[in-house]
Amino acid sequence: MNSLDKNKVVLGMSGGVDSSVAAYLLKKQGYEVIGVTMKVWQDDEEDNYEREDGCCSLSAAEDARRVANKLDIPFYVMNFKSVFKEKVIDYFVDEYLHGRTPNPCIACNKYIKFEELLQKAHSLGAYYVATGHYSRIVKDQKTNRYLIKKSLAKGKDQTYAMYNLTQDQLKHILMPLGEYSSKEEIRNIAKSLGLDVANKPDSQEICFIPDNNYGRFIEKKEGAKIIPGNFVDTNGNILGRHKGIIHYTIGQRKGLGISLGKPAYVVDIIPEKNQVVLGDNKDAFKGKLIAKNINFIPFDELKSPMKVEAKVRYSAKPSVATVYPLEENRVKVEFDNPQRAVTPGQAVVFYNENLLIGGGTIVKAFE
Ligand SMILES: Nc1ncnc2c1ncn2[C@@H]1O[C@H](COP(=O)(O)OP(=O)(O)OP(=O)(O)O)[C@@H](O)[C@H]1O
């Protein structure tokens, strides 16, 4: 570790405008920057890097290479396919098969970008790994802990997917975009540098499923295990047939393929019975949840109940709640106002204004 150079950083470059501008900003700050595009997504039969879309397309790597050339920084394409399959894709598929709704970006941040890529950075002698995420990492001078704060760009903040990073990871991460107040500013920097990625659209939610059809993606990989079952009402009465639990998520209304003469919403999924429970919109609201695999950022352990603002999904508004510590690294969260579509498998993430307090994986929601 002693031989790591604190002036050297490996930057994950996805060929988009954010990581391209991050390269420029880091270089301007005096860092020796090494650009890396990770190839992460692989298909069993075909090599999907050849496609024109998705973060790992050939064109994405070529975009990143062109930016690196223009900024005069070394650039490599590295193969992370097998670890990405194990830590992100297999987890993603398995969660759906068990009736939960996973968040692959959280797994990718923890295990790929800030673990595997960080290890690569260290093997190249770099102390830091950097990304174009909208998030701020600051060191608390009093406690010497690394804290995560929301980005200043409203609507772009990506801290939700970082709640489970450790202090050891955080001390090696740089995110130079967090201090900027809008994406527009970042695009303008790219334009002023003459980078042709300046107007590229934002990347979509799941990088390895470019058409967003995750049901088909899982079916193609795990076809045999997807078994149709019953839609039931909240009293357990059978309403009709569903296509397999992987095709549904809590709160879903569209694409149910059943007509009940009134709007119907998925309010629960019972994997043991292979059932999807349909109800009214009001049935999709829950006031309490249990979460596991809890990680806190400003401290190691929660010793007494804490008032926070909590988010139950990436796009949810933070809502006032109390977090109660439980055994086995779990918590109970009680919201002041019930939340819609609290979904097992998704993360609940706690904030105190701009400060990320921590979070965990939702196990169940109730009342
Ligand atoms: N395939 C990849 N290889 C290397 N780094 C990556 C890759 N995909 C994402 N990253 C890094 O993670 C950051 C956040 O990724 P995300 O998918 O949210 O992209 P984004 O916010 O649209 O950024 P960009 O505009 O740089 O694509 C990127 O800015 C980049 O630093």
Side-chain angles (χ1 to χ4, degrees):
M1 278 293 192
N2 284 343
S3 61
L4 296 179
D5 186 347
K6 282 201 162 182
N7 200 41
K8 203 166 170 182
V9 54
V10 164
L11 168 69
M13 296 184 71
S14 52
V17 61
D18 295 329
S19 45
S20 300
V21 170
Y24 164 75
L25 294 173
L26 290 167
K27 203 179 162 190
K28 206 170 85 167
Q29 287 168 25
Y31 287 100
E32 184 187 333
V33 185
I34 301 167
V36 170
T37 293
M38 301 182 290
K39 288 191 164 189
V40 292
W41 155 232
Q42 96 188 96
D43 189 277
D44 288 344
E45 297 101 57
E46 69 205 68
D47 190 337
N48 270 13
Y49 297 134
E50 301 298 331
R51 51 196 308 159
E52 285 304 307
D53 46 14
C55 76
C56 305
S57 65
L58 199 59
S59 67
E62 286 315 309
D63 285 349
R65 187 187 301 281
R66 260 201 330 280
V67 170
N69 281 344
K70 184 140 189 161
L71 297 176
D72 196 21
I73 59 171
F75 173 78
Y76 305 98
V77 177
M78 293 183 183
N79 187 342
F80 287 75
K81 288 181 193 180
S82 83
V83 66
F84 190 81
K85 180 184 179 307
E86 182 196 335
K87 302 281 193 187
V88 182
I89 296 182
D90 289 353
Y91 143 80
F92 176 85
V93 171
D94 194 62
E95 285 290 277
Y96 268 114
L97 291 175
H98 286 89
R100 298 184 286 263
T101 304
N103 185 318
C105 297
I106 292 176
C108 179
N109 282 342
K110 183 160 182 76
Y111 298 113
I112 310 300
K113 294 185 184 117
F114 303 125
E115 189 170 312
E116 294 294 324
L117 186 61
L118 180 59
Q119 289 311 318
K120 274 280 187 299
H122 288 347
S123 71
L124 293 170
Y127 187 87
Y128 290 112
V129 70
T131 59
H133 280 111
Y134 287 82
S135 162
R136 289 181 289 162
I137 297 172
V138 290
K139 189 171 178 186
D140 183 332
Q141 297 304 335
K142 278 195 215 129
T143 61
N144 273 341
R145 285 186 79 98
Y146 291 85
L147 306 176
I148 301 178
K149 292 189 170 181
K150 287 183 186 171
S151 84
L152 296 182
K154 292 214 165 47
K156 289 301 296 177
D157 175 58
Q158 291 176 304
T159 53
Y160 175 85
M162 290 171 194
Y163 76 84
N164 62 357
L165 299 181
T166 63
Q167 290 294 306
D168 266 350
Q169 287 174 306
L170 290 170
K171 75 173 171 202
H172 292 287
I173 302 173
L174 300 175
M175 292 178 176
L177 263 49
E179 301 292 341
Y180 286 81
S181 58
S182 72
K183 174 107 184 190
E184 218 31 56
E185 236 180 304
I186 301 303
R187 286 198 191 281
N188 286 339
I189 294 174
K191 277 181 208 157
S192 70
L193 296 170
L195 300 180
D196 57 5
V197 296
N199 292 318
K200 268 179 95 165
D202 287 359
S203 44
Q204 81 284 15
E205 227 169 292
I206 301 177
C207 70
F208 54 92
I209 311 183
D211 66 359
N212 225 13
N213 189 341
Y214 64 88
R216 196 175 63 196
F217 175 87
I218 295 166
E219 230 158 10
K220 208 173 136 201
K221 284 180 73 70
E222 303 282 330
K225 291 191 195 153
I226 295 165
I227 307 158
N230 287 329
F231 281 126
V232 297
D233 66 17
T234 50
N235 295 316
N237 301 309
I238 295 174
L239 300 171
R241 297 288 286 168
H242 67 68
K243 295 184 290 179
I245 55 173
I246 63 143
H247 292 288
Y248 307 93
T249 187
I250 310 280
Q252 180 179 342
R253 177 184 170 188
K254 290 187 179 146
L256 298 179
I258 185 168
S259 163
L260 299 176
K262 61 173 183 171
Y265 299 82
V266 175
V267 298
D268 202 0
I269 295 173
I270 309 175
E272 313 86 65
K273 296 183 180 169
N274 196 25
Q275 287 179 341
V276 175
V277 183
L278 302 182
D280 298 328
N281 192 36
K282 69 171 172 33
D283 300 321
F285 284 80
K286 298 282 188 293
K288 296 175 185 164
L289 65 83
I290 302 289
K292 65 174 184 179
N293 298 338
I294 299 297
N295 186 55
F296 292 106
I297 305 287
F299 45 84
D300 284 334
E301 208 186 324
L302 183 69
K303 300 222 165 73
S304 54
M306 184 180 190
K307 205 85 173 167
V308 296
E309 291 125 40
K311 266 168 75 146
V312 292
R313 77 178 58 75
Y314 187 81
S315 57
K317 268 209 186 120
S319 188
V320 177
T322 308
V323 185
Y324 298 88
L326 298 177
E327 285 164 1
E328 295 170 352
N329 201 23
R330 295 174 314 138
V331 294
K332 182 170 86 168
V333 182
E334 283 188 20
F335 287 91
D336 284 10
N337 296 304
Q339 302 293 298
R340 189 173 185 283
V342 181
T343 306
Q346 292 280 291
V348 57
V349 178
F350 316 128
Y351 293 90
N352 182 353
E353 296 187 349
N354 281 330
L355 185 68
L356 175 60
I357 300 295
T361 308
I362 298 169
V363 179
K364 64 171 182 175
F366 51 104
E367 288 174 38

